[in-house]
Amino acid sequence: MAHAVPTRGTSTGARTGAGTGASGASGASGASGHTPPDVFGARTHLLAKWAMPLAIGLVYGYWAASIRRHGGPITGWNLLFGFMTVLAFAILWYVVREVADRLPREGHAVLWGAFAGSALGFLYSGSGVAMFTCILVSLLLAAAVTAGLYYHYATHQDAEEARTARTRNPVRAGTT
């Protein structure tokens, strides 16, 4: 016999705060029935998805242009270099994001790690340091980003898979 499982904050399992749709479902998409509140709409998320790489790219391009001019005057070529860097950074971000979403967690983490290491290496090489130092620092950052993202994806995906497995194959007490 199936019984309702109480959700957090209630003793009866009745959902609070989530409106019911036309099918009577509460709108919770997670296997556990709990989804965090979404205070922004789909339009805001779409805007942030496309505007964030551009905003970070603007900071990155300004940084690259200021490193390249070595404290000298701002010239038209310097501005062109900065804007081309913004364009390249933003396009690469969009491409990495689209490709990484199609990869398994290992490839996803490695791709973002390579992107972060390459971005730092490009900036650091413009400052005039030895190439060995630039490569070493870039590889260290790439390894750190890869390890951090792999840990994040592994722990979150494993937890999602466990929740999904529990809901698909519930243990039935008293059945043989």
Side-chain angles (χ1 to χ4, degrees):
M1 178 172 214
H3 295 282
V5 177
T7 59
R8 193 177 315 168
T10 65
S11 60
T12 62
R15 300 198 187 271
T16 59
T20 57
S23 64
S26 66
S29 63
S32 65
H34 174 72
T35 57
D38 188 11
V39 296
F40 300 114
R43 183 177 176 195
T44 306
H45 284 290
L46 182 64
L47 179 66
K49 178 181 177 180
W50 290 100
M52 189 176 78
L54 187 60
I56 294 172
L58 284 169
V59 172
Y60 185 83
Y62 172 76
W63 194 355
S66 67
I67 289 172
R68 185 175 176 130
R69 66 185 173 94
H70 299 291
I74 298 174
T75 63
W77 289 112
N78 187 253
L79 288 173
L80 179 64
F81 176 76
F83 283 117
M84 295 311 287
T85 304
V86 170
L87 184 64
F89 183 87
I91 288 172
L92 284 173
W93 181 301
Y94 296 133
V95 169
V96 166
R97 184 179 61 202
E98 291 302 315
V99 171
D101 287 343
R102 294 177 175 91
L103 296 175
R105 64 181 167 214
E106 296 86 2
H108 194 123
V110 168
L111 188 59
W112 278 109
F115 177 73
S118 299
L120 177 69
F122 177 74
L123 286 179
Y124 201 41
S125 68
S127 65
V129 299
M131 192 55 63
F132 177 74
T133 307
C134 176
I135 292 170
L136 181 66
V137 169
S138 297
L139 287 175
L140 288 173
L141 178 72
V145 169
T146 299
L149 287 177
Y150 178 75
Y151 174 77
H152 173 76
Y153 296 137
T155 56
H156 284 73
Q157 285 179 354
D158 289 346
E160 280 296 320
E161 290 168 2
R163 277 193 288 272
T164 303
R166 276 194 305 252
T167 58
R168 288 185 184 166
N169 301 320
V171 177
R172 294 187 176 120
T175 61
T176 55

